[in-house]
Amino acid sequence: MVREKIRVSTRTLQWKCVESRTDNKRLYYGRFILSPLMKGQADTIGTAVRRALLGEIEGTCITRAKSEKIPHEYSTILGIQESVHEILMNLKEIVLRSNLYGTCDASICVRGPRCITAHDIILPPAVEIIDNTQHIATLTEPIDLCIELQLERNRGYRIQTPNNFQDGSYPIDAIFMPVRNVNHSIHFYGNGNEKQEILFLEIWTNGSLTPKEALYEASRNLIDLFIPFLHAEEENLHFEDNQHKVTLPPFILHEKLNELRKNKKKIALKSIFIDQLELPPRIYNCLKNSNIHTLLDLLNNSQEDLMQIEHFRIEDAKQIWGTLEKHFSIDLPKKKKSI
């Protein structure tokens, strides 16, 4: 077991593995921290990462077994100590690690009397067994037993229905999830309004991935889910020039605004939201609470109006003026006027 002291950085967001251990070949444990976080962020991240760890990571399982000696799932076979159902349940417990895509085949072909374990499975090169000692069946007589297996890589879990039989083969319930359990907790530190949060993540895996590998995979998959939003074209960013309209991607707003300002084009103030002004969270929340949502709403308020907002300070007004001047070459009106 490895333990490290927790060190909290107050400058940059950092993560660290503070505990790591291997309980057995099929149970790994890791404990991680992420800090410093603002109020509410730890729960947001913890919930999302937990769901991604449990539902978005792929794993490999045995999903089907076939043998000429098996008349039906609940039968017993002369010379085999276990019932067919028990053999299928033992096959379900085998943990595999692979980089394969879709399905592939494996097999068991042995002669008794002997004990059959996961070591007796003949695998394709891309697949590895985590625990070769996993018991499958016991042959008590000098008989031959051959079982064809189907391996599949997928995510989540799959409960097979009783009627899902194909050519005498038997489906096996599959738990593809390499992560067995995840806990997240939050620790607060600091005083008054300066309180910050530390996110603690505890991860248990089945041995096909280490907790650190699982955290990396889940984070990458979670980011991939949001990439379409980053590249999507937003229809709410319009710039008008007489009857011509242009739709712009969201992350080139400032560059396009500067180009339009140089060309003396008119900005559609209704379509520019204060979310895009990159204001500090406290200023942003003050404006939102006062029903100021767009650049047009903001410019319809004078400096005097803004100073009437609860918790609003003169430094906040100066920061807004700087933002407007920098990106839009606009000054906030000293007295209220209609735009």
Side-chain angles (χ1 to χ4, degrees), residues 261-327:
R261 177 170 54 80
K262 291 176 182 178
N263 295 331
K264 296 182 179 180
K265 293 187 176 182
K266 184 179 179 181
I267 301 172
L269 301 178
K270 285 183 180 179
S271 300
I272 301 175
F273 294 86
I274 63 170
D275 310 58
Q276 299 159 284
L277 301 183
E278 299 179 356
L279 296 171
R282 197 182 61 78
I283 300 178
Y284 171 81
N285 290 330
C286 286
L287 296 178
K288 279 287 191 179
N289 292 336
S290 298
N291 293 319
I292 298 175
H293 305 289
T294 67
L295 185 57
L296 180 62
D297 297 334
L298 180 60
L299 295 179
N300 273 334
N301 286 270
S302 66
Q303 301 174 22
E304 296 176 353
D305 295 330
L306 294 181
M307 295 308 301
Q308 300 301 316
I309 298 176
E310 187 177 5
H311 304 306
F312 203 84
R313 303 176 302 190
I314 184 64
E315 291 81 5
D316 302 333
K318 289 180 180 179
Q319 188 160 356
I320 292 176
W321 302 335
T323 300
L324 294 176
E325 184 176 3
K326 176 182 177 181
H327 298 304

Side-chain angles (χ1 to χ4, degrees), residues 9-235:
S9 170
T10 58
R11 296 182 180 178
T12 57
L13 195 63
Q14 296 182 344
W15 76 277
K16 180 182 289 188
C17 177
V18 294
E19 184 177 349
S20 175
R21 69 171 185 261
T22 302
D23 293 335
N24 56 60
K25 290 183 178 180
R26 288 181 286 164
L27 185 59
Y28 286 29
Y29 171 81
R31 190 165 182 249
F32 306 86
I33 62 169
L34 179 66
S35 69
L37 296 165
M38 298 176 63
K39 183 179 179 181
Q41 289 181 337
D43 188 55
T44 299
I45 297 172
T47 301
V49 171
R50 182 180 186 275
R51 293 179 68 88
L53 282 164
L54 293 174
E56 298 298 330
I57 303 179
E58 293 186 342
T60 304
C61 291
I62 299 173
T63 56
R64 190 171 288 275
K66 180 180 179 181
S67 176
E68 295 179 356
K69 291 182 177 292
I70 302 177
H72 59 81
E73 181 180 355
Y74 297 100
S75 63
T76 57
I77 301 174
L78 184 65
I80 301 179
Q81 182 174 304
E82 292 81 4
S83 68
V84 173
H85 179 73
E86 288 173 325
I87 294 174
L88 295 177
M89 291 301 98
N90 290 336
L91 290 172
K92 176 182 175 180
E93 294 299 319
I94 294 174
V95 178
L96 303 171
R97 179 186 178 107
S98 79
N99 293 318
L100 66 85
Y101 293 92
T103 62
C104 67
D105 296 326
S107 63
I108 300 173
C109 192
V110 295
R111 180 173 179 80
R114 56 166 298 181
C115 180
I116 304 174
T117 66
H119 180 73
D120 297 305
I121 301 176
I122 303 171
L123 296 167
V127 183
E128 173 189 354
I129 295 176
I130 297 303
D131 184 4
N132 284 322
T133 65
Q134 169 66 39
H135 179 74
I136 297 176
T138 302
L139 302 184
T140 58
E141 302 289 341
I143 62 172
D144 294 321
L145 178 64
C146 292
I147 303 176
E148 298 176 17
L149 304 173
Q150 177 182 280
L151 313 181
E152 182 178 345
R153 182 177 174 86
N154 212 317
R155 64 186 184 90
Y157 61 90
R158 181 191 303 154
I159 304 300
Q160 300 290 358
T161 55
N163 59 354
N164 193 14
F165 300 100
Q166 299 175 2
D167 302 325
S169 63
Y170 295 84
I172 300 174
D173 295 340
I175 302 177
F176 297 105
M177 302 179 294
V179 176
R180 289 297 183 236
N181 192 21
V182 182
N183 287 335
H184 81 273
S185 57
I186 303 169
H187 173 72
F188 301 91
Y189 67 97
N191 297 314
N193 294 329
E194 300 301 324
K195 277 191 175 181
Q196 293 179 306
E197 299 178 345
I198 303 176
L199 172 64
F200 287 82
L201 280 171
E202 293 183 289
I203 303 171
W204 291 262
T205 68
N206 65 1
S208 62
L209 289 177
T210 66
K212 185 176 180 180
E213 289 173 328
L215 183 57
Y216 171 82
E217 189 74 17
S219 301
R220 188 181 67 178
N221 292 342
L222 193 60
I223 291 171
D224 288 345
L225 292 176
F226 288 94
I227 284 180
F229 294 110
L230 300 182
H231 296 290
E233 290 190 349
E234 299 291 332
E235 296 185 357

Side-chain angles (χ1 to χ4, degrees), residues 233-250 253 256-257 260 265-273 276 295 328:
E233 290 190 349
E234 299 291 332
E235 296 185 357
N236 64 332
L237 302 177
H238 292 291
F239 298 90
E240 299 180 359
D241 180 19
N242 296 328
Q243 296 181 349
H244 301 285
K245 294 185 178 180
V246 181
T247 304
L248 299 174
L253 174 66
K256 291 298 181 182
L257 283 175
L260 291 172
K265 293 187 176 182
K266 184 179 179 181
I267 301 172
L269 301 178
K270 285 183 180 179
S271 300
I272 301 175
F273 294 86
Q276 299 159 284
L295 185 57
F328 306 98

